[in-house]
Amino acid sequence: MRDEVDELVEAWARERADLDLAPVEVFSRIGRLARQLDRVRREAFTEHRIESWEFDVLAALRRAGDPYQLSPGRLIRETLVTSGTMTNRVDRLTDRGLVERLPDPHDRRGVLVRLTPAGKEAVDSAFEALLASERALLTVLDERDRARLATLLRSLMGSLPTNRG
């Protein structure tokens, strides 16, 4: 089965036969797949009236387990955003009634961000929709191929500078 990356590689090979184009075959496909997955993700979340960034914060809180709360610092590490961005996000989620701020009982100056029941419902339903969409995309691969692909991608991610140490 051929795709647009095959055509791209053939064109480059014709123009630059002196180059090893193996990375293009892998990373052009990963890039194109990532753009398509972002679209699928946005569609799944839009059905549940949340945005991708909202899902990221809500999901971090949900994964924390009952009572579904984290410090802002932990949320920053979980979602890879700046402190100012997280403050803005928590403000907006608070305004929507999806999270609440509580005093940290172990740090008088600290706060905790907690998922509200509405936030839990929103993240759970959006996650179920996302899984259904992603599961449908994976039907072209059998279970063994999916496991192998996950292993290969894990190895590739582990080699990236941002994932070391």
Side-chain angles (χ1 to χ4, degrees), residues 75-90:
L75 278 171
I76 289 166
R77 287 189 298 279
E78 292 279 330
T79 60
L80 305 174
V81 299
T82 65
S83 175
T85 297
M86 184 54 66
T87 297
N88 182 297
R89 290 180 176 186
V90 170

Side-chain angles (χ1 to χ4, degrees), residues 10-151:
E10 287 173 4
W12 274 116
R14 188 178 55 250
E15 297 300 317
R16 292 295 311 266
D18 59 313
L19 296 176
D20 172 13
L21 299 171
V24 175
E25 291 194 58
V26 173
F27 292 109
S28 287
R29 285 186 176 95
I30 289 174
R32 290 164 193 260
L33 182 59
R35 286 190 292 279
Q36 289 298 323
L37 293 174
D38 282 343
R39 183 185 54 75
V40 167
R41 183 180 182 147
R42 279 192 310 274
E43 288 172 3
F45 297 157
T46 298
E47 288 177 30
H48 298 277
R49 298 186 205 134
I50 66 171
E51 297 181 39
S52 292
W53 68 263
E54 291 174 312
F55 178 82
D56 292 343
V57 175
L58 298 174
L61 293 167
R62 182 65 168 99
R63 290 190 312 265
D66 195 15
Y68 313 113
Q69 65 188 25
L70 294 171
S71 69
R74 179 74 185 273
L75 278 171
I76 289 166
R77 287 189 298 279
E78 292 279 330
T79 60
L80 305 174
V81 299
T82 65
S83 175
T85 297
M86 184 54 66
T87 297
N88 182 297
R89 290 180 176 186
V90 170
D91 288 345
R92 291 173 66 186
L93 289 167
T94 300
D95 291 345
R96 291 196 53 206
L98 300 175
V99 302
E100 61 186 345
R101 284 187 176 92
L102 303 168
D104 185 337
H106 305 293
D107 179 358
R108 290 188 339 208
R109 296 177 296 155
V111 297
L112 295 172
V113 179
R114 179 184 292 167
L115 201 58
T116 64
K120 184 175 180 278
E121 170 60 31
V123 71
D124 282 354
S125 60
F127 189 50
E128 289 170 18
L130 176 62
L131 285 175
S133 296
E134 290 179 346
R135 192 175 296 108
L137 293 173
L138 287 172
T139 59
V140 299
L141 301 175
D142 63 29
E143 188 175 332
R144 185 174 177 197
D145 286 343
R146 287 191 305 267
R148 179 76 178 133
L149 179 58
T151 298

